[in-house]
């Protein structure tokens, strides 16, 4: 190969390499942009959601446990969620079950008329229907087979749901399968995580010893 031809071939190879490197950098930039956009769309602790025949379960979470920040085996975990009936017929929450609990206690209002909602506020269930057996939970809270109370006019749209006798330790980041059974719509299973810690955080410098 003559010297001019050699220089021409060398310049062609350099140009091809530069174009290839530019394409790799451009693709990497696009991928990075997509990941960033996706991350901004995901909440820190998203609650579980599910739908069945016009009934929706929204933002279902277990109340953040006090103390060590986890639920131990045998303990009870109150549940927070919103149940929405967007269908044309009235319905009713008849049962809640979970493979992670010996029983699930449901209290207060369970009727879910058309175009209405029920709010589970995370308060422990004091009385009501118990699903998955009638034995006491390992935490010492007895299961009770009673008709759900309808409550007063101020809490008629509230339902209380508590998982009793947890079968294993549950920590933040673990999701628990919870099945909601409705009289007409049928069952829907939702993966429920532990919610965020809503307790106030101590400010820096507070509670420390003062120095003179």
């Amino acid at each position: 190969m003559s010297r001019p031809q050699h220089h021409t071939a060398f310049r062609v190879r350099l140009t091809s390499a530069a174009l290839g490197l530019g394409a790799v950098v451009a693709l990497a930039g696009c991928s990075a942009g997509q990941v960033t956009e996706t991350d901004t769309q995901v909440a820190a602790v998203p609650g579980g959601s599910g739908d069945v025949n016009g009934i929706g379960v929204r933002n279902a979470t277990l109340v953040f446990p006090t103390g060590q920040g986890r639920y131990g085996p045998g303990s009870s975990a109150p549940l927070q969620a919103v149940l929405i009936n967007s269908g044309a017929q009235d319905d009713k929450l008849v049962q809640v079950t979970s493979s992670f609990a010996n029983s699930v206690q449901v209290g207060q209002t369970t009727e879910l008329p058309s175009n209405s909602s029920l709010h589970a506020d995370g308060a422990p269930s004091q009385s009501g229907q118990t699903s998955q057996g009638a034995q006491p939970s390992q935490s010492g809270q007895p299961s009770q087979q009673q008709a759900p109370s309808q409550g007063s006019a101020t809490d008629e749209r509230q339902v209380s749901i508590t998982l009793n006798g947890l079968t294993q330790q549950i920590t933040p980041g673990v999701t628990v399968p919870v099945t909601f059974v409705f009289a007409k719509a049928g069952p829907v299973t939702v993966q429920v995580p532990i919610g965020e810690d809503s307790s106030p955080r101590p400010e820096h410098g507070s509670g420390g010893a003062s120095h003179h």
Side-chain angles (χ1 to χ4, degrees):
M1 180 183 295
S2 63
R3 184 175 299 274
Q5 291 176 336
H6 175 74
H7 287 307
T8 300
F10 181 71
R11 284 197 297 271
V12 169
R13 286 196 297 270
L14 283 179
T15 303
S16 300
L19 289 174
L21 180 60
V24 171
V25 172
L27 287 174
C30 292
S31 299
Q34 290 174 354
V35 171
T36 302
E37 182 179 357
T38 303
D39 289 345
T40 59
Q41 296 174 353
V42 178
V45 184
S49 297
D51 295 275
V52 57
N53 298 325
I55 302 293
V57 179
R58 296 290 179 267
N59 198 32
T61 61
L62 301 178
V63 175
F64 191 88
T66 58
Q68 297 181 343
R70 64 177 181 269
Y71 288 108
S75 60
S76 297
L79 184 144
Q80 296 173 312
V82 180
L83 313 181
I84 303 171
N85 184 357
S86 58
Q89 60 181 355
D90 298 344
D91 214 323
K92 180 179 181 179
L93 178 66
V94 295
Q95 190 181 37
V96 181
T97 63
S98 176
S99 58
F100 277 54
N102 287 328
S103 64
V104 180
Q105 197 165 24
V106 181
Q108 301 186 61
T109 301
T110 56
E111 300 288 344
L112 191 55
S114 175
N115 296 317
S116 70
S117 62
L118 276 175
H119 293 260
D121 58 4
S125 303
Q126 299 300 323
S127 64
Q129 294 179 333
T130 301
S131 305
Q132 284 186 258
Q135 60 184 354
S137 69
Q138 298 178 13
S139 59
Q141 297 180 357
S143 301
Q144 302 179 21
Q145 291 286 356
Q146 299 178 3
S149 60
Q150 294 303 314
S152 63
T154 57
D155 63 0
E156 63 182 3
R157 304 314 311 151
Q158 297 286 332
V159 61
S160 57
I161 303 172
T162 303
L163 278 62
N164 290 326
L166 297 177
T167 58
Q168 64 185 70
Q169 179 174 274
I170 301 176
T171 58
V174 174
T175 58
V176 176
V178 178
T179 300
F180 300 80
V181 183
F182 299 91
K184 298 177 182 178
V188 56
T189 299
V190 177
Q191 297 297 324
V192 180
I194 290 179
E196 293 183 353
D197 185 2
S198 59
S199 59
R201 299 180 182 275
E203 297 182 359
H204 293 290
S206 62
S210 59
H211 298 279
H212 299 286

